[in-house]
Amino acid sequence: LADDWRPERVAIFGMGQVGTMLGLRARSRGFARQIVVADPDPGALARSRAAGLVPDHILDPGSDGCDADVIVLAVPVPRILELIGRLGPHLTGDQLLIDTGSAKTVVVEAMRAIPQEVHAVGGHPMAGTEIPGATGAKAELLEGAPFALTPVRDDPAAMARARTLVEALGCRPVIVGAEEHDRIVARTSHLPHVAAYALTRVAAAAGDADAVANLSGTGLRGATRLASSDPSMVAAFLSANRTEVRTALADLRDALDAVEAALLDGPVALAATLAAAAGASSETSRPS
Amino acid sequence: LADDWRPERVAIFGMGQVGTMLGLRARSRGFARQIVVADPDPGALARSRAAGLVPDHILDPGSDGCDADVIVLAVPVPRILELIGRLGPHLTGDQLLIDTGSAKTVVVEAMRAIPQEVHAVGGHPMAGTEIPGATGAKAELLEGAPFALTPVRDDPAAMARARTLVEALGCRPVIVGAEEHDRIVARTSHLPHVAAYALTRVAAAAGDADAVANLSGTGLRGATRLASSDPSMVAAFLSANRTEVRTALADLRDALDAVEAALLDGPVALAATLAAAAGASSETSRPS
């Protein structure tokens, strides 16, 4: 089935950063003949166009139906759930439905409620910038980037089509269960976001604004870059993955306690603790 | 006095990243006629040379005296304290002694014990990369970077000479008391280092190494970049500024608690909390 699948028309709901990046890649790599987009915000449509994505057609974002072969929901998680509820009942077995949200358990649950014959897969491309919206779109970051695919039900054709889409965009499909995805991403993405906001808050309170700015270097900028993200988007995915984020926060407190304990043991013990943590890093960040 | 000061010879102790960057800038901007260097590690001398710093002379790192007009101690804080103790008693009123350590209270205290007539100032250039040693030297990062100067005693000539040096290197002098420096830098630099190691540890423990690597994106890399620093160097400055680092850790735990409380209050409250933290960021990171 998958081998015969030749999508003609891709619809992308949401012209934020992710939707724009995926649209740009779909266009530049010749995936599908038509790219149609939807966004209730005319500003978002304009910024996406300014970033280079000129759609073949603009959909009514409030319509119930969508006849595209591939429907990509690239909006914050709560709006993904709304769109699944609205579009789902009208979809058919010829269509692939996929989202891009960074919390997958709630999305996959919502997808299970739509007609059995619809091919639905949870998706999460692992690339982007901290600059909110289409203004921050850098489509080339998708080249070789992991793109998580979480199964919704026993539907090999759905996963085969999702793989075809992801590979056509130049990304690397990573098939993973929604719960495992959410547990890991809570720690590799959601927790770093929380930490960036917390570090920003602590640094800002360290002294008067000029003194703090004068004593801030490149290290702080890198460590807090994620705090420039769109707060509503971050709040949405943290809330959608709340249970795992809270467990990850507990893990972070434990790790901070471990560093503090080593600090009390003196520089030699501390260096060993830091080197062990960094060693773990070089293991997990190796190219694969 | 400062206007007449024309240093002929600069000695840099330590050919790690900071010593190499300062030497490269001193050379490229024509500050002083001679640059002499010292490092007990032949590998460090070789890496510094490979990074482009060819010294006029290599000093015996174990000698008690040093006749340079400017003596820069660019080594980890514990070794700065040793060098102040060893070189200090032999210095004269014609020389400027400055260090580059990121914890200043202990350094300034040690400098107060050397002969009154020696012009001594605590220093801390706020630029660098996370790649350890001279291999990570990027001298152009010093252009316009803040360079903290902490007074040792009432000695206007010392501060005037230190300013001359810092401006000659193309940096921006920031005169600040050692205690205030250590309080702020604990939060703008030392705490982000601790957080990077802790985040690295939590991410590595989130699942098996392949799954974690597959679900890690650009956000994690930025947030944990500081964990690639030399663990001994980081352990040395965290230990030298231990009291403030522990208070900063308490501040971080409070900030994490505040985000978690907002998470329990729902996405709207959470977005407001995150936006407030990010607002604080844009205030303190404005150019000045």
Side-chain angles (χ1 to χ4, degrees):
Chain A
L1 173 63
D3 289 339
D4 299 336
W5 188 59
R6 291 285 173 276
E8 285 279 297
R9 196 175 161 96
V10 176
I12 304 174
F13 284 75
M15 283 293 102
Q17 184 182 124
V18 177
T20 301
M21 284 170 67
L22 295 178
L24 287 168
R25 288 292 281 189
R27 167 103 350 121
S28 69
R29 296 174 60 97
F31 180 75
R33 212 171 40 79
Q34 274 207 328
I35 295 173
V36 300
V37 307
D39 199 301
D41 174 10
L45 288 168
R47 284 187 294 275
S48 177
R49 192 177 280 265
L53 182 59
V54 181
D56 294 296
H57 181 64
I58 295 177
L59 297 171
D60 171 5
S63 71
D64 286 344
C66 179
D67 66 355
D69 304 299
V70 177
I71 297 163
V72 181
L73 308 180
V75 290
V77 176
R79 293 202 45 231
I80 291 172
L81 304 181
E82 278 170 42
L83 282 168
I84 293 171
R86 184 147 58 82
L87 300 172
H90 308 282
L91 299 179
T92 72
D94 294 325
Q95 298 178 286
L96 171 68
L97 177 69
I98 188 168
D99 77 305
T100 65
S102 87
K104 298 265 60 81
T105 308
V106 291
V107 169
V108 161
E109 266 167 27
M111 285 178 169
R112 283 197 188 115
I114 65 174
Q116 278 281 117
E117 69 273 18
V118 177
H119 299 300
V121 172
H124 180 204
M126 306 290 298
T129 74
E130 74 286 357
I131 302 158
T135 313
K138 275 183 124 178
E140 67 273 22
L141 291 180
L142 288 171
E143 181 67 42
F147 196 127
L149 294 174
T150 59
V152 170
R153 44 200 167 205
D154 184 17
D155 180 356
M159 194 51 79
R161 290 180 181 192
R163 281 189 88 115
T164 300
L165 167 68
V166 164
E167 283 165 0
L169 297 173
C171 303
R172 187 162 55 81
V174 174
I175 298 170
V176 59
E179 288 75 16
E180 185 181 1
H181 171 278
D182 286 0
R183 187 185 73 236
I184 294 178
V185 167
R187 288 155 179 84
T188 58
S189 168
H190 301 171
L191 186 66
H193 278 86
V194 172
Y197 286 101
L199 287 169
T200 301
R201 189 174 159 137
V202 171
D208 73 74
D210 282 333
V212 173
N214 281 334
L215 294 173
S216 295
T218 44
L220 183 67
R221 275 196 288 282
T224 58
R225 192 156 287 149
L226 291 172
S228 309
S229 309
D230 175 357
S232 315
M233 184 197 67
V234 177
F237 65 62
L238 293 178
S239 297
N241 197 24
R242 193 164 79 168
T243 308
E244 281 299 339
V245 168
R246 295 190 68 198
T247 323
L249 271 166
D251 292 351
L252 179 61
R253 290 191 188 94
D254 288 347
L256 293 170
D257 290 349
V259 175
E260 186 162 16
L263 179 62
L264 297 178
D265 288 341
V268 176
L270 181 55
T273 298
L274 301 180
S281 159
S282 60
E283 252 175 63
T284 57
S285 65
R286 72 177 187 277
S288 51
Chain B
L1 171 63
D3 289 340
D4 298 337
W5 188 59
R6 291 285 175 276
E8 285 278 296
R9 197 175 161 96
V10 176
I12 304 174
F13 284 75
M15 283 294 101
Q17 183 181 124
V18 176
T20 301
M21 285 170 67
L22 295 177
L24 287 168
R25 289 291 282 189
R27 168 103 349 122
S28 69
R29 296 175 59 97
F31 179 75
R33 213 170 39 79
Q34 275 206 327
I35 296 173
V36 300
V37 306
D39 200 300
D41 173 10
L45 288 168
R47 283 187 294 275
S48 177
R49 191 179 281 265
L53 182 59
V54 182
D56 294 294
H57 182 64
I58 295 176
L59 297 171
D60 172 6
S63 71
D64 286 344
C66 177
D67 65 356
D69 304 300
V70 177
I71 297 164
V72 181
L73 307 180
V75 289
V77 175
R79 293 201 47 230
I80 292 172
L81 304 180
E82 278 170 42
L83 282 168
I84 294 171
R86 183 147 56 81
L87 300 172
H90 308 283
L91 300 178
T92 73
D94 294 325
Q95 298 178 287
L96 171 68
L97 177 69
I98 188 167
D99 78 304
T100 66
S102 86
K104 299 265 59 82
T105 308
V106 292
V107 169
V108 160
E109 266 167 27
M111 284 178 169
R112 283 197 187 115
I114 65 173
Q116 279 280 120
E117 69 272 19
V118 178
H119 299 302
V121 173
H124 180 204
M126 306 289 299
T129 75
E130 75 286 357
I131 302 156
T135 313
K138 275 183 125 177
E140 66 274 21
L141 290 180
L142 288 171
E143 181 68 42
F147 195 127
L149 295 174
T150 59
V152 170
R153 43 200 167 206
D154 183 17
D155 180 357
M159 194 50 79
R161 289 180 180 191
R163 281 189 89 114
T164 301
L165 167 69
V166 164
E167 285 165 0
L169 297 173
C171 301
R172 187 162 56 81
V174 175
I175 298 170
V176 59
E179 287 76 14
E180 186 181 1
H181 171 279
D182 286 1
R183 189 186 72 235
I184 294 177
V185 167
R187 288 155 179 85
T188 59
S189 169
H190 300 172
L191 186 65
H193 278 85
V194 172
Y197 286 102
L199 287 170
T200 301
R201 191 173 158 136
V202 171
D208 75 73
D210 281 334
V212 173
N214 281 335
L215 294 174
S216 296
T218 44
L220 183 67
R221 274 196 289 283
T224 58
R225 192 156 286 147
L226 291 172
S228 309
S229 309
D230 176 357
S232 315
M233 184 197 69
V234 177
F237 66 61
L238 293 177
S239 297
N241 197 23
R242 193 164 81 168
T243 307
E244 281 299 340
V245 168
R246 295 190 68 196
T247 323
L249 271 166
D251 292 351
L252 179 61
R253 290 190 188 95
D254 289 347
L256 293 171
D257 290 349
V259 175
E260 186 162 16
L263 179 62
L264 297 178
D265 289 341
V268 177
L270 181 55
T273 299
L274 300 180
S281 160
S282 60
E283 252 175 63
T284 57
S285 66
R286 72 177 185 278
S288 52

